[in-house]
Structure formats: C-alpha cells, structure tokens
Amino acid sequence: MFRFTALRVPLVAAPMAGGPSTPALVAAAGEAGGLGFLAAGSKRAGAVAAEIAEVRDLTRAPFGVNLFVPPQTPAPTEAVDAYRAALGPLAAALGVSLAPRVEADDDWDAKLDLVAAARVPVVSFTFGLPPMAAVARLRAAGSCVLASVASVPDAARAVALGVDGVVLQGVEAGGHRATLTPAEEPNDLSALDMLPGARDLGVPVVAAGGFGTGEQIAAALAAGAAAVQLGTALLLTPEAGTSAAHRAGLVSPALTETVVTRAFTGRPARALANAFVTEHPDAPAAYPEVNLLTSALRQAAARSGDLQHTHFWAGTGWRLARAEPAAAVLARLWADAVAAGAPQR
Ligand SMILES: Cc1cc2nc3c(=O)[nH]c(=O)nc-3n(C[C@H](O)[C@H](O)[C@H](O)COP(=O)(O)O)c2cc1C
C-alpha cells in the first residue's frame, strides 16, 4: 500500500475539481517525486476512468483520486427558491436563464466501483466521511484511504472509520472547505494550529491550506505533517486545466483579497472577493443546489470577461502562485523547505 514516507518530495498536488486537476498535472507531480490527485467530484465515472487510464499512460508513479461524498441531508428548498428569485435580475442582465432544479447524482456508486476495480493507489474523500464499508472495501483492494477534514474532531471521526490518513485543511485553503455538511460553519484555524491535535490520532496527516513558501512547508513538517498539499500554488502551471478566466482573475490587480463564501455553490469556499460575494452574503447552505443554480450565470460572466460575477477559487497565498511548470514549482518549494530546515529525503 502507498506510504507517504516513500515520497521523494512530501508534496501533494491537491485534487481540484472544475478543471484544474488534469492527468498531466497528476503525472508531473508524481514524476517530480510528489503525489498527484485526480478530482472525480462532479464527473461521471466514465470520464474518471479515462483520466485514470491517461495517468497510467503518462507515469508509473503512484497517484490519487478524490471523490465527493453525497450530501446526507435534503437542501432547504424554500431558501433555494428565494435565492433563485434574488438572482433573477443578474441572470436577465447576463442573458441566461437559471437552471431548473436538478436532482443531485454525482455517480457516486459507479465511481466507488471504479476506484476499487482500478486499484487506485490513494483514494481521498471530501464533503463528508465515507461509509465504513467503502473504506474497508477500498483498503481490501489495496488503496490507501484518506479523508479530508477541516477540524480535529472530524479527523478523529475519520480515524474511527478506519482511514489510513487525513488531509487536514485549514482556514487559508482555496476552494471548498472540507466541512462534513454544507450548513456547518467552518472554524478559523490553520492546519498548523490543528496539527498537534491531529498528530496524536496516530495516522499520517497531510496539511493543506495557504501553503506557498518553503518556510511554511518546513513548519508544517516540523509540526508533524506527513506531507503538505498544494492547491492554489499549482493553478497557474501549464499542466493545470485552470480556465483562462480563472487565470485572469488570479493575476488581476482588481481582485485584492480572498473570502469564504457560500454565494457561488452553497458550501463554504474561499474565493477572490468580488461583487457577487458582496451582494450575496446570505446564500443558502445548499450544495449542490446552489452550485447548479448559479452555474450558467457564472459561466456567462466568465465568457464576457466580467471579473465581478464569477468564482475564482483561491487560497490566501494566491499571490505566490507562479506560471511555471508543476515540476519546477514542486522542486522550488521543496528546495526552499529544505533550506528552511525540512529534513532531506
Ligand atoms: C480550484 C480548486 C478546486 C478544488 N477542488 C477540490 C476537490 O475537488 N476536492 C478536494 O478535496 N479539495 C478541493 N480543493 C481544495 C484542495 O484540495 C486543497 O485543500 C486546497 O487547495 C489547499 O489550499 P490552497 O489552495 O491554499 O493550497 C480545491 C481547491 C481549489 C483551489
């Protein structure tokens, strides 16, 4: 089974759904001595199977696949309807119709079957904890199973299910926070704050959130992290499938800070602050309903170069992201981490 201690470079290319994670990025991270992740959330099983095959064509390095755990509670329908009404004028201005309500089916069962059959070296879950039977099944198939969590108590719940490790995501993280439900208010702790508690759980802990310098990476490893996960730091790499609009947002001088918001998807997520975030501070806690509702609107804004009404997921360290090859990012950050005291492997 995969072990973090076997990595030449203890850096993980985060799973990033919505485009950024590609087989090329996963392979580049693996070839550079780290661990890459495919993002299977919001994708059909067939598309994920094709990506797994592509990774295996590109590299023999171990890699991971990340799955979204389906929501366990029904969305607040009235609040979603009220949000749809509130978005009406913007939809009209952008010339889009708001999507009718669509039943959420993330192809969960088929994707679980796929990762088990494909014997994926590492499988991670976010947006909730996987059923114990799924953990046991994947471990029996030889996978190292990780759960993404945003607090030490949730890390303990994951460990009780038998996972092999946790991804501990702090407040600085770009994109969705790994709270177990859309309604939960995320804490404001960094991975460094939570590492001492999580380390005592006795499984490897991958620290995530806001990592963009070697000093930060060395500090997390010194605090007991088995590896550090990088998301935003890789968004501008050529291997990432980050959209042109997202790349433009990340380098725009007009967008000057990041905030955690439910406005785009109904789940707390860190994005560059813009008018949409400011205009919708009370978006309902309903994922994936709000995600589906705002999708056409965000796409229309992105197409027209409107920086104010689309989502630019970004962690607090977004200004440190560089448009250089993924292998160069990993090599640079690891060399800096070693210079800052991280033990050479
Ligand atoms: C664009 C984007 C998409 C993301 N998608 C996922 C995802 O599909 N699954 C997941 O577990 N985490 C996802 N995350 C969170 C990352 O796994 C990771 O926790 C986060 O990027 C770490 O913070 P950083 O961006 O500051 O490095 C995403 C993050 C970003 C920026």
Side-chain angles (χ1 to χ4, degrees), residues 190-324:
S190 70
L192 268 186
D193 295 330
M194 297 186 279
L195 266 168
R199 198 183 47 195
D200 291 345
L201 296 170
V203 298
V205 179
V206 178
F211 287 94
T213 70
E215 289 76 11
Q216 293 169 326
I217 291 165
L221 296 174
V228 167
Q229 180 157 297
L230 308 170
T232 302
L234 295 166
L235 282 174
L236 295 178
T237 63
E239 294 92 342
T242 314
S243 69
H246 195 171
R247 288 175 194 263
L250 288 167
V251 300
S252 168
L255 303 173
T256 56
E257 58 175 341
T258 65
V259 284
V260 175
T261 177
R262 284 195 182 82
F264 296 113
T265 67
R267 258 195 167 273
R270 187 173 289 281
L272 291 170
N274 61 10
F276 193 85
V277 173
T278 314
E279 286 158 13
H280 302 290
D282 299 320
Y287 181 96
E289 288 76 7
V290 171
N291 189 35
L292 294 165
L293 175 63
T294 63
S295 162
L297 206 151
R298 290 181 276 131
Q299 283 169 17
R303 271 195 307 273
S304 64
D306 171 358
L307 296 182
Q308 297 303 326
H309 296 99
T310 194
H311 65 293
F312 299 116
W313 300 143
T316 54
W318 91 103
R319 293 277 197 223
L320 297 165
R322 296 281 171 269
E324 58 186 8

Side-chain angles (χ1 to χ4, degrees), residues 25-50:
L25 181 59
V26 172
E31 291 290 312
L35 177 72
F37 262 94
L38 289 172
S42 305
K43 263 183 207 144
R44 308 300 294 175
V48 180

